[in-house]
Amino acid sequence: MSHKFRLRLKQGELLIAPMVTLSCPETAEILSEVGYDWLFLDAEHSTYSAADLQAIIGRVGHKLPCLVRLAAPDEVQIKKALDIGADGIIAPQVNSPELAEKIVSWSRYSPVGTRGVGLGRAHGYGFSFDDYLASANENTTVVVQAEHIDAVNSIEQIVEVPGVDAVLIGPYDLSASLKRIGEIDHPEVTGAIQHVTDVCKNSNIPLGIFGVTVDAVKPYIDKGFTLITAGVDTVMLGQAARRMLGQLK
């Protein structure tokens, strides 16, 4: 990893990515030429296997940073994502400081963490093992998602966990946890988001958000959010095709 993504995040740089869900590496390769700052590889809601992720990162990881949203916030998922060369992980459904502590620990090698030691693509299959170990703890980005009311209620403690580099808000799952699924503009949902925003800003923790459209994410950029995921590969493909067909008929 040589992109210094974690440093750029901590310095407050605006970092914009699309969400990539299609398993063909060509999709990520096309998006890597657009000018994005990073790619959000979604292993939670896609059909990605570890082999799919490795093929994608192997194709585009030298061009721009790739962060993997885990299928689940557990140790094995973290080991697999990092061993194949991801620049960092995005852990879903982190609803307590105890889980945040585990996620950070699983993402860092000893003596500061408990990440398992293996020989994978990230380590040059063994040829660059020492070099990777020397820099991995410093360069690996750990993002936790606040996407449940339990996370909102525990956010003061979550942001105090050493090694949490950013908090990414999931507005849709958050709305569902409030029994207002999809109502992301409802005052209960926006109020919860504002609470997370205030706490993270007070603790100098970078904030992230996901939105399908420019209009969905632009207000958050204006509020100082810097880790931005805008659009989904499948939606962008479908909308572009529909727009062209509409212009022809």
Side-chain angles (χ1 to χ4, degrees):
M1 297 180 293
S2 59
H3 299 296
K4 302 298 181 184
F5 183 85
R6 187 177 183 223
L7 178 62
R8 294 167 65 195
L9 178 65
K10 286 177 172 292
Q11 289 177 337
E13 186 175 338
L14 178 61
L15 302 165
I16 300 175
M19 182 179 290
V20 186
T21 66
L22 295 172
S23 58
C24 55
E26 290 81 6
T27 301
E29 190 171 30
I30 292 167
L31 291 170
S32 74
E33 297 292 342
V34 171
Y36 289 109
D37 301 293
W38 61 291
L39 295 181
F40 181 125
L41 305 183
D42 185 18
E44 184 185 19
H45 293 294
S46 74
T47 61
Y48 285 151
S49 65
D52 292 329
L53 290 168
Q54 179 159 282
I56 291 170
I57 294 172
R59 186 76 67 92
V60 302
H62 63 290
K63 295 181 182 179
L64 77 177
C66 295
L67 271 64
V68 173
R69 177 160 69 176
L70 308 168
D74 66 44
E75 183 176 11
V76 172
Q77 296 291 332
I78 290 173
K79 281 191 290 189
K80 285 182 180 293
L82 296 181
D83 284 354
I84 63 179
D87 291 84
I89 56 98
I90 300 169
Q93 296 291 339
V94 180
N95 297 333
S96 70
E98 291 80 14
L99 181 55
E101 288 174 358
K102 290 179 180 178
I103 288 164
V104 171
S105 181
W106 294 331
S107 303
R108 303 272 189 260
Y109 287 120
S110 176
V112 297
T114 58
R115 178 179 169 186
V117 180
L119 294 178
R121 180 181 170 277
H123 319 83
Y125 303 101
F127 290 103
S128 56
F129 180 77
D130 291 338
D131 290 340
Y132 179 77
L133 257 62
S135 62
N137 282 353
E138 182 64 27
N139 289 337
T140 299
T141 302
V142 176
V143 180
V144 299
Q145 284 203 246
E147 52 183 345
H148 193 280
I149 190 58
D150 289 347
V152 175
N153 292 335
S154 299
I155 194 65
E156 288 89 349
Q157 292 76 41
I158 290 172
V159 298
E160 292 301 319
V161 174
V164 169
D165 296 315
V167 172
L168 191 147
I169 297 173
Y172 291 93
D173 280 348
L174 177 56
S175 70
S177 75
L178 290 165
K179 300 188 178 0
R180 297 193 176 277
I181 187 166
E183 298 179 51
I184 59 174
D185 294 322
H186 190 279
E188 283 187 59
V189 181
T190 58
I193 291 173
Q194 188 61 52
H195 178 64
V196 174
T197 302
D198 292 342
V199 171
C200 287
K201 284 189 173 183
N202 287 339
S203 298
N204 200 31
I205 296 292
L207 279 157
I209 196 79
F210 163 75
V212 176
T213 66
V214 170
D215 289 341
V217 299
K218 188 63 167 63
Y220 291 99
I221 295 176
D222 295 339
K223 291 179 181 179
F225 284 54
T226 57
L227 187 66
I228 305 298
T229 306
V232 184
D233 54 2
T234 52
V235 176
M236 289 189 282
L237 175 62
Q239 288 179 340
R242 178 176 287 174
R243 183 166 57 249
M244 178 176 283
L245 182 60
Q247 292 169 349
L248 292 172
K249 284 193 172 184

